[in-house]
Amino acid sequence: MSISENILKIRQEIPETVCLVAVSKTKPSSAILEAYGVGQRIFGENKVQELCSKQAELPKDIQWHFIGHLQTNKVKYIAPFVSLIHSVDSLKLMQEINKEAQKNNRIIHCLLEFHIATEESKFGLNYQEARALLTSAEYAGMENISIDGVMGMASFTDDAKTIHKEFQGLSHIYQELKTEFFSNQEHFGIISMGMSDDYPIAIQEGSTMVRVGSSIFGKR
Ligand SMILES: *Cc1c(COP(=O)(O)O)cnc(C)c1O
């Protein structure tokens, strides 16, 4: 099937309320334009340089999401245009995003990344770490950053039960944060979970945003 057929098929499969991020990393601009042609406007990239060069040459109404690990020294390159950063996992990174957002006279929308897989990974917070961030004096003073929800990746496994459990865990974290820090704050509404192999499970467990790459654009 073609890229446009894949997009239309996935759009039909998922509820209208679930946002589809088309993960275009490593794929050429021509592939993005094919998806754009059937109405896709949200694309996800995980490398700063690749994101910046695609942003420069592609239509300006594309909303670019940054989904990879973000180094503080590279925030400045995406700060002028990025529409959502999915991978915030430290106070230092939040401070840098806030600073660069301020320079660009805008608010940058972000998600807190949580470590929910059993696998070892360097990235992602646990609940205590997130609480430490959200109760810090530094965060209280940040006027140019908006925390809009949470993001996580399940273990790389065929065991559906494990994947269900991990996504359930992230939904639970979202609810707890909502109650403790963001009650009555409409903007805190995103649970970004689910990729090509597990997005149906993620949606069953409450995902509001799926990040789908290979099922749209083919193998990388
Ligand atoms: C690559 C990537 C995806 C998409 O993965 P697919 O399995 O190709 O759908 C989603 N989220 C993150 C963070 C990624 O790096």
Side-chain angles (χ1 to χ4, degrees), residues 23 25 46 67-68 113 151 153 194-197 211-215 218 220:
V23 176
K25 62 190 189 194
N46 71 341
I67 61 170
E113 179 173 357
M151 180 272 222
M153 270 180 282
M195 315 188 354
S196 292
D197 289 337
R211 309 176 309 270
V212 180
S214 43
S215 290
R220 285 182 296 273

Side-chain angles (χ1 to χ4, degrees), residues 107 109-112 134-135 139-140 142-143 145-150 174-191:
I107 288 175
H109 296 267
C110 297
L111 306 178
L112 295 178
L134 296 172
T135 54
Y139 172 66
M142 291 180 196
E143 292 185 342
I145 194 166
S146 175
I147 304 292
D148 290 352
V150 300
Y174 166 81
Q175 288 302 340
E176 297 269 297
L177 288 176
K178 176 111 186 138
T179 305
E180 193 172 347
F181 299 101
F182 299 98
S183 57
N184 305 318
Q185 293 188 48
E186 282 292 313
H187 68 90
F188 189 79
I190 300 175
I191 304 177

Side-chain angles (χ1 to χ4, degrees), residues 30 32 34 53 76 92 110 113-114 118 122 126 169 202 216:
S30 56
I32 296 174
E34 187 178 341
S53 57
K76 59 178 177 285
K92 193 172 125 225
C110 297
E113 179 173 357
F114 284 85
T118 46
K122 285 175 289 190
N126 61 36
I216 293 173

Side-chain angles (χ1 to χ4, degrees), residues 192-211:
S192 168
M193 60 185 188
M195 315 188 354
S196 292
D197 289 337
D198 56 21
Y199 71 83
I201 298 179
I203 290 169
Q204 287 174 39
E205 297 300 344
S207 173
T208 69
M209 185 175 275
V210 293
R211 309 176 309 270

